[in-house]
Amino acid sequence: MPLQKLKSSSLLNNSFFIFLIRFFPSVANLVVLLYYSRQLDMPAYGIYQNFWVQIYFLYPLAAFGIHVLITTYAPSTILKIAQKLSATQYVIYSVWVLLISALFAWLQPSSLNMGWWLPMLFLIVFVAGIILESFIIVLKGFKALLIINILYAISYVLVHKLVLAQTFSHYNIFLYLLLIGVGKVVLSTLVVLFNIRKHQDDVHEESRSINEIRTLWLHMGYYDILQTLSTWIDKFVVSLLLTASLSAIYFNGSQNIPFLPIILSAAGSAVLLQMNKVKATNENESLLLLMKTSARYLSCVVFPILFFLMFFRYEVFKVVLPGYIDAVPVFFIMLFILPLRIYSFLTVFQKLHKGHISTTGAIGELILACLLMYPLYLWLGLPGIALSFVISTYAQAFYYMIHIRSLLNVGFMQILPIANLLIKVLIFSSLFMVIHYLLSSLFEARISMLIGMSIMAIGVLTALYVEVRSDKNGNVS
Protein backbone atom coordinates (compact mmCIF):
# COMPACT_ATOMS: atom_id res chain seq x y z
CA MET A 1 0.00 0.00 0.00
CA PRO A 2 1.83 3.16 -1.19
CA LEU A 3 0.38 5.49 1.44
CA GLN A 4 1.30 3.10 4.22
CA LYS A 5 4.89 2.96 2.98
CA LEU A 6 5.01 6.73 2.62
CA LYS A 7 3.80 7.46 6.10
CA SER A 8 5.98 5.00 8.00
CA SER A 9 9.48 4.47 6.62
CA SER A 10 9.90 7.89 4.97
CA LEU A 11 8.35 9.70 7.93
CA LEU A 12 10.65 7.95 10.40
CA ASN A 13 13.70 8.50 8.20
CA ASN A 14 13.01 12.23 7.75
CA SER A 15 12.26 12.66 11.46
CA PHE A 16 15.54 10.97 12.37
CA PHE A 17 17.62 13.17 10.06
CA ILE A 18 15.93 16.39 11.22
CA PHE A 19 16.46 15.33 14.83
CA LEU A 20 20.17 14.70 14.22
CA ILE A 21 20.53 18.05 12.46
CA ARG A 22 19.23 19.85 15.55
CA PHE A 23 20.70 17.46 18.10
CA PHE A 24 24.38 18.41 17.85
CA PRO A 25 23.92 22.20 18.31
CA SER A 26 21.63 21.42 21.27
CA VAL A 27 24.27 19.19 22.85
CA ALA A 28 26.91 21.89 22.32
CA ASN A 29 24.66 24.47 23.96
CA LEU A 30 23.97 22.20 26.94
CA VAL A 31 27.69 21.44 27.40
CA VAL A 32 28.59 25.15 27.35
CA LEU A 33 25.83 26.10 29.77
CA LEU A 34 26.90 23.47 32.29
CA TYR A 35 30.56 24.40 31.84
CA TYR A 36 30.11 28.19 32.08
CA SER A 37 27.72 27.97 35.02
CA ARG A 38 30.55 26.41 36.99
CA GLN A 39 33.48 28.44 35.64
CA LEU A 40 32.11 32.00 35.51
CA ASP A 41 31.09 34.06 38.52
CA MET A 42 27.36 34.66 38.82
CA PRO A 43 27.25 38.26 37.43
CA ALA A 44 29.33 37.35 34.35
CA TYR A 45 27.30 34.21 33.76
CA GLY A 46 24.07 36.18 34.17
CA ILE A 47 25.13 38.72 31.54
CA TYR A 48 26.11 35.92 29.18
CA GLN A 49 22.73 34.23 29.65
CA ASN A 50 20.81 37.48 29.25
CA PHE A 51 22.30 37.90 25.78
CA TRP A 52 20.93 34.51 24.70
CA VAL A 53 17.57 34.97 26.44
CA GLN A 54 17.04 38.21 24.49
CA ILE A 55 18.16 36.54 21.25
CA TYR A 56 15.63 33.73 21.65
CA PHE A 57 12.92 36.19 22.65
CA LEU A 58 13.49 38.57 19.71
CA TYR A 59 14.43 36.31 16.81
CA PRO A 60 10.82 35.12 16.23
CA LEU A 61 9.92 38.80 15.74
CA ALA A 62 12.67 39.20 13.14
CA ALA A 63 12.00 35.89 11.35
CA PHE A 64 8.23 36.46 11.63
CA GLY A 65 7.26 32.94 10.69
CA ILE A 66 9.24 32.72 7.43
CA HIS A 67 11.21 29.70 8.68
CA VAL A 68 7.91 28.03 9.63
CA LEU A 69 6.18 28.91 6.35
CA ILE A 70 9.03 27.47 4.28
CA THR A 71 8.48 23.97 5.67
CA THR A 72 4.82 24.08 4.58
CA TYR A 73 5.49 23.91 0.83
CA ALA A 74 7.44 21.96 -1.76
CA PRO A 75 10.73 23.62 -2.85
CA SER A 76 9.38 24.63 -6.27
CA THR A 77 6.47 26.42 -4.58
CA ILE A 78 8.87 28.32 -2.33
CA LEU A 79 10.92 29.36 -5.36
CA LYS A 80 7.82 30.58 -7.20
CA ILE A 81 6.77 32.59 -4.14
CA ALA A 82 10.24 34.16 -3.92
CA GLN A 83 10.08 35.14 -7.61
CA LYS A 84 6.65 36.75 -7.23
CA LEU A 85 7.71 39.01 -4.37
CA SER A 86 8.57 42.56 -5.38
CA ALA A 87 11.79 44.40 -4.59
CA THR A 88 9.79 46.69 -2.30
CA GLN A 89 8.63 43.73 -0.23
CA TYR A 90 12.19 42.49 0.17
CA VAL A 91 13.28 45.97 1.24
CA ILE A 92 10.43 46.26 3.77
CA TYR A 93 11.34 42.92 5.36
CA SER A 94 15.05 43.84 5.44
CA VAL A 95 14.22 47.11 7.22
CA TRP A 96 12.06 45.15 9.69
CA VAL A 97 14.95 42.80 10.53
CA LEU A 98 17.29 45.78 10.92
CA LEU A 99 14.86 47.45 13.34
CA ILE A 100 14.57 44.35 15.52
CA SER A 101 18.35 43.93 15.41
CA ALA A 102 18.79 47.55 16.43
CA LEU A 103 16.40 46.99 19.35
CA PHE A 104 18.48 44.00 20.42
CA ALA A 105 21.66 46.09 20.22
CA TRP A 106 20.03 48.84 22.30
CA LEU A 107 19.06 46.34 25.02
CA GLN A 108 22.67 45.28 25.61
CA PRO A 109 24.23 46.96 28.67
CA SER A 110 27.14 49.33 28.13
CA SER A 111 29.21 47.20 30.51
CA LEU A 112 29.57 44.61 27.71
CA ASN A 113 31.68 47.09 25.69
CA MET A 114 30.46 45.51 22.44
CA GLY A 115 29.21 48.66 20.71
CA TRP A 116 26.05 48.54 18.61
CA TRP A 117 27.33 46.74 15.52
CA LEU A 118 28.24 43.39 17.09
CA PRO A 119 24.85 42.50 18.65
CA MET A 120 23.05 43.96 15.62
CA LEU A 121 24.98 41.77 13.17
CA PHE A 122 24.68 38.81 15.54
CA LEU A 123 20.88 38.79 15.39
CA ILE A 124 20.82 39.31 11.61
CA VAL A 125 23.16 36.35 11.07
CA PHE A 126 21.25 34.25 13.62
CA VAL A 127 17.94 34.79 11.79
CA ALA A 128 19.53 34.16 8.38
CA GLY A 129 20.92 30.85 9.65
CA ILE A 130 17.51 29.69 10.91
CA ILE A 131 15.74 30.57 7.63
CA LEU A 132 18.43 28.89 5.52
CA GLU A 133 18.28 25.75 7.69
CA SER A 134 14.53 25.47 7.11
CA PHE A 135 15.04 25.82 3.35
CA ILE A 136 17.75 23.14 3.28
CA ILE A 137 15.43 20.79 5.18
CA VAL A 138 12.72 21.34 2.55
CA LEU A 139 15.31 20.70 -0.17
CA LYS A 140 16.21 17.52 1.74
CA GLY A 141 19.87 18.40 1.92
CA PHE A 142 19.99 16.49 5.19
CA LYS A 143 23.53 15.14 4.98
CA ALA A 144 25.09 18.48 4.06
CA LEU A 145 23.18 20.28 6.82
CA LEU A 146 24.14 17.60 9.33
CA ILE A 147 27.83 18.12 8.50
CA ILE A 148 27.45 21.91 8.78
CA ASN A 149 25.76 21.63 12.17
CA ILE A 150 28.33 19.17 13.51
CA LEU A 151 31.12 21.56 12.49
CA TYR A 152 29.21 24.44 14.04
CA ALA A 153 28.66 22.52 17.31
CA ILE A 154 32.36 21.60 17.59
CA SER A 155 33.43 25.18 16.84
CA TYR A 156 30.89 26.53 19.33
CA VAL A 157 32.29 24.44 22.19
CA LEU A 158 35.94 25.10 21.27
CA VAL A 159 35.44 28.87 21.09
CA HIS A 160 33.87 28.95 24.55
CA LYS A 161 36.69 26.87 25.99
CA LEU A 162 39.47 28.86 24.30
CA VAL A 163 38.05 32.26 25.30
CA LEU A 164 37.71 31.10 28.90
CA ALA A 165 41.27 29.72 28.86
CA GLN A 166 42.53 33.16 27.81
CA THR A 167 41.26 36.46 29.19
CA PHE A 168 37.49 36.08 29.20
CA SER A 169 35.39 38.92 27.84
CA HIS A 170 31.87 39.01 26.51
CA TYR A 171 33.09 40.96 23.50
CA ASN A 172 35.53 38.19 22.51
CA ILE A 173 33.07 35.34 22.96
CA PHE A 174 30.31 36.93 20.91
CA LEU A 175 32.69 38.21 18.24
CA TYR A 176 34.04 34.70 17.64
CA LEU A 177 30.52 33.25 17.74
CA LEU A 178 29.47 35.82 15.15
CA LEU A 179 32.30 34.69 12.86
CA ILE A 180 31.22 31.06 13.30
CA GLY A 181 27.65 32.08 12.50
CA VAL A 182 28.77 33.85 9.32
CA GLY A 183 30.66 30.72 8.28
CA LYS A 184 27.53 28.62 8.83
CA VAL A 185 25.42 31.03 6.75
CA VAL A 186 27.95 30.97 3.89
CA LEU A 187 28.08 27.15 3.83
CA SER A 188 24.28 26.92 4.08
CA THR A 189 23.89 29.34 1.17
CA LEU A 190 26.20 27.19 -0.97
CA VAL A 191 24.14 24.08 -0.12
CA VAL A 192 20.93 25.90 -1.11
CA LEU A 193 22.42 27.05 -4.43
CA PHE A 194 23.70 23.54 -5.18
CA ASN A 195 20.36 21.84 -4.43
CA ILE A 196 17.98 24.44 -5.78
CA ARG A 197 18.45 23.43 -9.42
CA LYS A 198 17.03 19.98 -8.71
CA HIS A 199 13.67 21.46 -7.75
CA GLN A 200 13.03 24.10 -10.41
CA ASP A 201 10.30 21.99 -12.05
CA ASP A 202 9.16 19.92 -9.11
CA VAL A 203 5.95 18.02 -9.85
CA HIS A 204 4.75 18.59 -6.27
CA GLU A 205 4.33 22.34 -6.68
CA GLU A 206 1.14 23.70 -5.09
CA SER A 207 -1.16 26.23 -6.76
CA ARG A 208 -1.91 28.63 -3.91
CA SER A 209 -2.75 32.30 -4.34
CA ILE A 210 -0.42 34.94 -2.93
CA ASN A 211 -3.23 36.08 -0.62
CA GLU A 212 -3.59 32.57 0.83
CA ILE A 213 0.14 32.29 1.35
CA ARG A 214 0.41 35.79 2.84
CA THR A 215 -2.43 35.05 5.28
CA LEU A 216 -0.81 31.80 6.39
CA TRP A 217 2.56 33.51 6.76
CA LEU A 218 1.10 36.22 9.01
CA HIS A 219 -0.63 33.67 11.19
CA MET A 220 2.52 31.53 11.42
CA GLY A 221 4.48 34.61 12.42
CA TYR A 222 1.93 35.59 15.07
CA TYR A 223 1.80 32.03 16.36
CA ASP A 224 5.60 31.75 16.62
CA ILE A 225 5.78 35.00 18.57
CA LEU A 226 2.90 33.99 20.85
CA GLN A 227 4.52 30.60 21.54
CA THR A 228 7.74 32.34 22.56
CA LEU A 229 5.81 34.68 24.84
CA SER A 230 3.90 31.75 26.34
CA THR A 231 7.17 29.88 26.99
CA TRP A 232 8.79 32.75 28.88
CA ILE A 233 6.01 34.84 30.45
CA ASP A 234 5.68 32.73 33.62
CA LYS A 235 9.43 32.86 34.27
CA PHE A 236 9.43 36.59 33.49
CA VAL A 237 6.59 37.33 35.93
CA VAL A 238 8.16 35.21 38.68
CA SER A 239 11.49 36.98 38.22
CA LEU A 240 9.79 40.38 38.60
CA LEU A 241 7.38 39.71 41.47
CA LEU A 242 9.06 37.09 43.65
CA THR A 243 12.44 36.75 45.35
CA ALA A 244 15.52 35.59 43.45
CA SER A 245 15.49 32.28 45.35
CA LEU A 246 11.88 31.52 44.42
CA SER A 247 12.63 32.56 40.84
CA ALA A 248 15.55 30.12 40.67
CA ILE A 249 13.41 27.30 42.07
CA TYR A 250 10.63 27.94 39.56
CA PHE A 251 13.05 28.32 36.64
CA ASN A 252 14.72 24.97 37.32
CA GLY A 253 11.42 23.22 37.95
CA SER A 254 9.81 24.46 34.73
CA GLN A 255 12.64 23.64 32.34
CA ASN A 256 12.00 21.69 29.13
CA ILE A 257 13.18 18.08 29.03
CA PRO A 258 16.55 18.23 27.17
CA PHE A 259 16.29 17.34 23.44
CA LEU A 260 12.59 16.43 23.61
CA PRO A 261 11.45 19.67 21.88
CA ILE A 262 13.71 18.96 18.88
CA ILE A 263 12.32 15.42 18.60
CA LEU A 264 8.77 16.79 18.51
CA SER A 265 9.72 19.57 16.09
CA ALA A 266 11.47 17.08 13.81
CA ALA A 267 8.35 14.92 13.66
CA GLY A 268 6.16 17.88 12.73
CA SER A 269 8.57 18.97 9.99
CA ALA A 270 8.73 15.41 8.66
CA VAL A 271 4.93 15.24 8.35
CA LEU A 272 4.93 18.46 6.32
CA LEU A 273 7.68 17.11 4.06
CA GLN A 274 5.63 13.97 3.44
CA MET A 275 2.49 16.00 2.72
CA ASN A 276 4.31 17.86 -0.05
CA LYS A 277 4.06 14.62 -2.06
CA VAL A 278 0.31 14.15 -1.58
CA LYS A 279 -2.26 15.29 -4.12
CA ALA A 280 -4.92 17.75 -2.97
CA THR A 281 -7.68 15.17 -3.52
CA ASN A 282 -6.12 12.86 -0.90
CA GLU A 283 -4.96 15.62 1.44
CA ASN A 284 -7.29 15.13 4.41
CA GLU A 285 -7.05 11.34 4.48
CA SER A 286 -3.28 11.37 4.10
CA LEU A 287 -2.82 14.08 6.74
CA LEU A 288 -4.95 12.18 9.25
CA LEU A 289 -2.98 8.96 8.67
CA LEU A 290 0.38 10.71 8.92
CA MET A 291 -0.61 12.54 12.11
CA LYS A 292 -1.77 9.31 13.74
CA THR A 293 1.45 7.59 12.66
CA SER A 294 3.49 10.47 14.04
CA ALA A 295 1.57 10.26 17.34
CA ARG A 296 2.24 6.51 17.59
CA TYR A 297 5.97 6.97 17.08
CA LEU A 298 6.28 10.03 19.33
CA SER A 299 4.39 8.28 22.12
CA CYS A 300 7.10 5.59 22.05
CA VAL A 301 9.54 8.31 23.15
CA VAL A 302 7.35 10.58 25.26
CA PHE A 303 5.57 8.02 27.47
CA PRO A 304 8.69 6.19 28.74
CA ILE A 305 10.32 9.57 29.49
CA LEU A 306 7.15 10.89 31.13
CA PHE A 307 6.64 7.97 33.53
CA PHE A 308 10.34 7.64 34.31
CA LEU A 309 10.46 11.31 35.34
CA MET A 310 7.19 11.10 37.25
CA PHE A 311 8.33 8.22 39.46
CA PHE A 312 12.05 9.07 39.61
CA ARG A 313 11.68 12.87 39.93
CA TYR A 314 13.28 13.12 43.37
CA GLU A 315 16.19 10.90 42.37
CA VAL A 316 16.79 13.05 39.26
CA PHE A 317 16.88 16.28 41.26
CA LYS A 318 19.03 14.81 44.02
CA VAL A 319 21.64 13.79 41.46
CA VAL A 320 21.42 16.54 38.80
CA LEU A 321 20.24 19.58 40.81
CA PRO A 322 20.83 18.71 44.47
CA GLY A 323 20.23 22.27 45.67
CA TYR A 324 16.78 22.52 44.10
CA ILE A 325 14.67 19.77 45.68
CA ASP A 326 11.98 22.41 46.33
CA ALA A 327 11.53 22.65 42.55
CA VAL A 328 10.26 19.07 42.29
CA PRO A 329 6.53 19.90 42.80
CA VAL A 330 6.73 22.47 39.98
CA PHE A 331 8.54 19.95 37.80
CA PHE A 332 5.97 17.24 38.57
CA ILE A 333 3.02 19.42 37.55
CA MET A 334 4.73 20.57 34.36
CA LEU A 335 5.17 16.92 33.33
CA PHE A 336 1.42 16.67 32.71
CA ILE A 337 1.85 18.80 29.58
CA LEU A 338 4.04 16.12 27.96
CA PRO A 339 1.23 13.81 26.74
CA LEU A 340 -0.11 16.64 24.56
CA ARG A 341 3.24 16.96 22.81
CA ILE A 342 2.79 13.73 20.86
CA TYR A 343 0.36 15.48 18.51
CA SER A 344 1.50 18.50 16.47
CA PHE A 345 -1.72 20.49 16.21
CA LEU A 346 0.08 23.32 14.41
CA THR A 347 1.09 20.95 11.60
CA VAL A 348 -2.56 20.29 10.69
CA PHE A 349 -3.53 23.98 10.58
CA GLN A 350 -0.31 24.86 8.79
CA LYS A 351 -0.89 22.35 6.01
CA LEU A 352 -4.59 23.17 5.60
CA HIS A 353 -3.94 26.94 5.55
CA LYS A 354 -5.95 27.51 8.72
CA GLY A 355 -3.33 29.52 10.56
CA HIS A 356 -5.97 31.74 12.18
CA ILE A 357 -7.08 28.77 14.29
CA SER A 358 -3.61 28.21 15.73
CA THR A 359 -3.25 31.96 16.37
CA THR A 360 -6.61 32.17 18.17
CA GLY A 361 -5.73 29.11 20.26
CA ALA A 362 -2.35 30.55 21.21
CA ILE A 363 -3.90 33.88 22.26
CA GLY A 364 -6.60 32.10 24.28
CA GLU A 365 -4.05 29.85 25.98
CA LEU A 366 -1.91 32.82 26.99
CA ILE A 367 -4.85 34.85 28.33
CA LEU A 368 -6.27 31.91 30.31
CA ALA A 369 -2.86 31.12 31.85
CA CYS A 370 -2.40 34.74 32.92
CA LEU A 371 -5.90 34.85 34.45
CA LEU A 372 -5.29 31.64 36.42
CA MET A 373 -1.72 32.41 37.47
CA TYR A 374 -2.35 34.65 40.49
CA PRO A 375 -5.32 32.84 42.13
CA LEU A 376 -3.60 29.46 41.72
CA TYR A 377 -0.39 30.92 43.18
CA LEU A 378 -2.35 32.10 46.24
CA TRP A 379 -3.77 28.59 46.59
CA LEU A 380 -0.76 26.37 45.84
CA GLY A 381 2.28 28.63 45.71
CA LEU A 382 4.78 28.09 42.87
CA PRO A 383 3.16 24.80 41.74
CA GLY A 384 -0.03 26.83 41.21
CA ILE A 385 1.70 28.96 38.56
CA ALA A 386 2.78 25.78 36.79
CA LEU A 387 -0.77 24.40 37.08
CA SER A 388 -2.17 27.51 35.36
CA PHE A 389 -0.16 26.66 32.26
CA VAL A 390 -1.12 22.99 32.38
CA ILE A 391 -4.82 23.90 32.50
CA SER A 392 -4.52 26.48 29.71
CA THR A 393 -2.55 24.04 27.52
CA TYR A 394 -5.23 21.36 27.86
CA ALA A 395 -7.94 23.92 27.09
CA GLN A 396 -5.98 24.93 23.98
CA ALA A 397 -5.63 21.28 22.90
CA PHE A 398 -9.38 20.72 23.29
CA TYR A 399 -10.08 23.82 21.18
CA TYR A 400 -7.68 22.58 18.49
CA MET A 401 -9.21 19.09 18.45
CA ILE A 402 -12.69 20.53 17.89
CA HIS A 403 -11.40 22.31 14.79
CA ILE A 404 -9.35 19.34 13.54
CA ARG A 405 -12.45 17.16 13.83
CA SER A 406 -14.34 19.66 11.68
CA LEU A 407 -11.54 20.21 9.13
CA LEU A 408 -10.85 16.51 8.58
CA ASN A 409 -14.51 15.52 8.94
CA VAL A 410 -13.84 12.75 11.47
CA GLY A 411 -14.96 11.87 14.98
CA PHE A 412 -12.94 12.69 18.08
CA MET A 413 -11.93 9.05 18.51
CA GLN A 414 -10.46 8.98 14.99
CA ILE A 415 -8.08 11.91 15.48
CA LEU A 416 -5.74 9.92 17.72
CA PRO A 417 -4.80 6.21 17.85
CA ILE A 418 -6.60 5.92 21.20
CA ALA A 419 -6.20 2.18 21.80
CA ASN A 420 -2.50 2.32 20.94
CA LEU A 421 -1.89 5.21 23.35
CA LEU A 422 -3.89 3.73 26.22
CA ILE A 423 -1.95 0.46 26.01
CA LYS A 424 1.35 2.37 26.25
CA VAL A 425 0.12 4.47 29.17
CA LEU A 426 -0.93 1.34 31.06
CA ILE A 427 2.31 -0.55 30.31
CA PHE A 428 4.79 2.25 31.07
CA SER A 429 3.00 3.66 34.12
CA SER A 430 2.80 0.19 35.70
CA LEU A 431 6.38 -0.64 34.70
CA PHE A 432 7.98 2.45 36.23
CA MET A 433 5.80 2.38 39.34
CA VAL A 434 6.99 -1.17 40.11
CA ILE A 435 10.60 -0.50 39.11
CA HIS A 436 10.80 2.64 41.23
CA TYR A 437 9.36 0.85 44.26
CA LEU A 438 11.92 -1.94 43.94
CA LEU A 439 14.97 0.23 43.17
CA SER A 440 14.28 2.87 45.83
CA SER A 441 14.24 0.20 48.50
CA LEU A 442 17.49 -1.40 47.31
CA PHE A 443 19.79 1.40 46.05
CA GLU A 444 20.76 4.99 46.71
CA ALA A 445 19.46 7.79 44.44
CA ARG A 446 22.25 7.83 41.82
CA ILE A 447 22.24 4.08 41.13
CA SER A 448 18.44 3.99 41.22
CA MET A 449 18.25 6.84 38.68
CA LEU A 450 20.82 5.29 36.34
CA ILE A 451 19.07 1.92 36.32
CA GLY A 452 15.76 3.67 35.76
CA MET A 453 17.24 5.64 32.84
CA SER A 454 18.57 2.44 31.31
CA ILE A 455 15.15 0.82 31.52
CA MET A 456 13.62 3.98 30.03
CA ALA A 457 16.01 3.80 27.04
CA ILE A 458 15.21 0.10 26.55
CA GLY A 459 11.52 0.96 26.74
CA VAL A 460 11.84 3.63 24.04
CA LEU A 461 13.75 1.32 21.69
CA THR A 462 11.38 -1.60 22.31
CA ALA A 463 8.28 0.50 21.70
CA LEU A 464 9.76 1.92 18.48
CA TYR A 465 10.68 -1.58 17.30
CA VAL A 466 7.13 -2.81 17.94
CA GLU A 467 5.67 0.14 15.98
CA VAL A 468 8.02 -0.40 13.04
CA ARG A 469 7.13 -4.10 12.94
CA SER A 470 3.43 -3.25 13.13
CA ASP A 471 3.75 -0.88 10.18
CA LYS A 472 5.64 -3.45 8.12
CA ASN A 473 2.97 -6.06 8.85
CA GLY A 474 0.15 -3.62 8.19
CA ASN A 475 -1.17 -3.91 11.76
CA VAL A 476 -1.84 -0.24 12.47
CA SER A 477 -4.15 0.70 15.35
Side-chain angles (χ1 to χ4, degrees):
M1 185 176 179
L3 184 59
Q4 177 69 22
K5 184 178 180 181
L6 169 69
K7 72 187 180 72
S8 57
S9 59
S10 296
L11 179 67
L12 196 60
N13 186 52
N14 287 343
S15 299
F16 179 69
F17 263 111
I18 296 170
F19 168 75
L20 279 182
I21 285 165
R22 294 169 180 168
F23 174 75
F24 290 101
S26 297
V27 170
N29 186 55
L30 181 62
V31 168
V32 168
L33 290 183
L34 292 174
Y35 181 57
Y36 266 36
S37 65
R38 288 165 172 78
Q39 298 298 321
L40 294 180
D41 59 50
M42 192 171 293
Y45 179 71
I47 293 172
Y48 171 83
Q49 279 290 70
N50 285 342
F51 188 93
W52 286 112
V53 167
Q54 291 165 11
I55 278 276
Y56 285 114
F57 189 81
L58 289 176
Y59 95 78
L61 280 172
F64 208 87
I66 290 178
H67 59 302
V68 183
L69 182 73
I70 285 173
T71 59
T72 307
Y73 299 106
S76 56
T77 306
I78 298 297
L79 294 175
K80 291 293 190 299
I81 294 170
Q83 291 167 4
K84 289 179 181 178
L85 295 176
S86 66
T88 302
Q89 289 170 314
Y90 280 108
V91 170
I92 290 172
Y93 178 68
S94 299
V95 171
W96 171 253
V97 174
L98 286 172
L99 287 174
I100 300 300
S101 301
L103 172 62
F104 174 63
W106 178 75
L107 287 172
Q108 303 314 305
S110 58
S111 59
L112 285 178
N113 296 317
M114 289 196 299
W116 61 269
W117 65 271
L118 178 54
M120 191 169 181
L121 286 177
F122 200 101
L123 183 57
I124 292 171
V125 170
F126 190 83
V127 171
I130 288 173
I131 292 174
L132 284 168
E133 181 173 296
S134 295
F135 198 22
I136 295 173
I137 287 173
V138 171
L139 293 170
K140 292 194 174 179
F142 296 136
K143 293 180 181 178
L145 186 55
L146 180 59
I147 293 170
I148 290 172
N149 277 4
I150 290 174
L151 292 174
Y152 174 82
I154 294 171
S155 303
Y156 184 86
V157 173
L158 288 177
V159 160
H160 280 86
K161 184 170 178 59
L162 290 173
V163 170
L164 193 60
Q166 300 167 2
T167 302
F168 175 82
S169 76
H170 293 95
Y171 175 83
N172 285 341
I173 190 68
F174 291 118
L175 174 62
Y176 294 144
L177 290 178
L178 173 62
L179 295 175
I180 292 173
V182 170
K184 181 181 178 181
V185 166
V186 170
L187 289 175
S188 297
T189 303
L190 292 175
V191 172
V192 168
L193 293 175
F194 179 78
N195 284 279
I196 212 168
R197 290 172 293 178
K198 304 175 184 178
H199 299 274
Q200 294 286 351
D201 301 309
D202 199 322
V203 295
H204 302 299
E205 181 183 342
E206 291 190 45
S207 55
R208 298 280 185 179
S209 69
I210 288 295
N211 286 335
E212 276 187 293
I213 294 167
R214 184 187 296 115
T215 300
L216 180 65
W217 167 49
L218 290 174
H219 283 297
M220 291 300 98
Y222 295 146
Y223 183 84
D224 201 41
I225 292 167
L226 288 167
Q227 283 295 95
T228 301
L229 187 59
S230 177
T231 301
W232 290 99
I233 194 169
D234 55 334
K235 301 173 183 67
F236 180 71
V237 169
V238 167
S239 69
L240 287 179
L241 301 180
L242 302 179
T243 65
S245 297
L246 289 176
S247 179
I249 290 169
Y250 186 82
F251 186 84
N252 284 332
S254 59
Q255 284 297 295
N256 284 324
I257 309 304
F259 313 121
L260 191 56
I262 60 174
I263 296 175
L264 306 179
S265 174
S269 298
V271 169
L272 288 171
L273 289 178
Q274 291 301 100
M275 284 302 299
N276 287 336
K277 302 177 181 180
V278 175
K279 295 180 180 180
T281 53
N282 300 323
E283 189 172 61
N284 284 7
E285 179 188 359
S286 301
L287 183 57
L288 180 62
L289 286 170
L290 282 170
M291 291 303 298
K292 290 174 75 171
T293 301
S294 176
R296 289 191 296 109
Y297 280 116
L298 285 176
S299 64
C300 295
V301 178
V302 171
F303 287 159
I305 293 174
L306 168 65
F307 291 110
F308 163 73
L309 291 174
M310 274 191 171
F311 289 103
F312 286 82
R313 59 190 184 277
Y314 280 100
E315 285 83 356
V316 169
F317 270 78
K318 285 178 182 177
V319 175
V320 180
L321 294 166
Y324 290 91
I325 297 298
D326 290 340
V328 173
V330 174
F331 179 75
F332 177 72
I333 289 177
M334 281 296 192
L335 287 175
F336 284 92
I337 292 178
L338 284 186
L340 298 180
R341 301 308 187 209
I342 67 171
Y343 201 89
S344 178
F345 300 101
L346 177 61
T347 300
V348 178
F349 303 130
Q350 194 173 341
K351 185 59 191 176
L352 298 180
H353 281 71
K354 300 296 180 181
H356 65 282
I357 297 175
S358 58
T359 303
T360 303
I363 293 172
E365 187 258 350
L366 187 59
I367 292 173
L368 180 59
C370 291
L371 290 174
L372 293 173
M373 199 183 300
Y374 183 64
L376 289 178
Y377 171 70
L378 292 178
W379 179 35
L380 298 171
L382 289 180
I385 299 176
L387 182 60
S388 69
F389 281 86
V390 173
I391 293 171
S392 64
T393 303
Y394 273 88
Q396 180 191 53
F398 182 69
Y399 170 78
Y400 285 160
M401 288 184 72
I402 291 173
H403 283 282
I404 290 173
R405 173 184 176 274
S406 176
L407 289 170
L408 299 181
N409 195 27
V410 295
F412 278 112
M413 301 300 288
Q414 294 174 278
I415 296 174
L416 288 164
I418 300 295
N420 181 286
L421 300 181
L422 287 177
I423 290 171
K424 287 173 185 168
V425 168
L426 181 62
I427 290 173
F428 287 115
S429 60
S430 302
L431 174 67
F432 283 104
M433 180 173 63
V434 172
I435 288 172
H436 178 260
Y437 175 78
L438 294 174
L439 292 178
S440 61
S441 61
L442 294 173
F443 304 105
E444 51 95 15
R446 183 181 297 274
I447 296 175
S448 180
M449 185 196 76
L450 290 174
I451 296 174
M453 286 180 65
S454 301
I455 295 171
M456 177 192 72
I458 294 170
V460 169
L461 294 175
T462 302
L464 285 171
Y465 174 77
V466 170
E467 290 294 356
V468 171
R469 288 296 299 263
S470 295
D471 271 347
K472 286 182 178 179
N473 296 329
N475 302 320
V476 181
S477 55

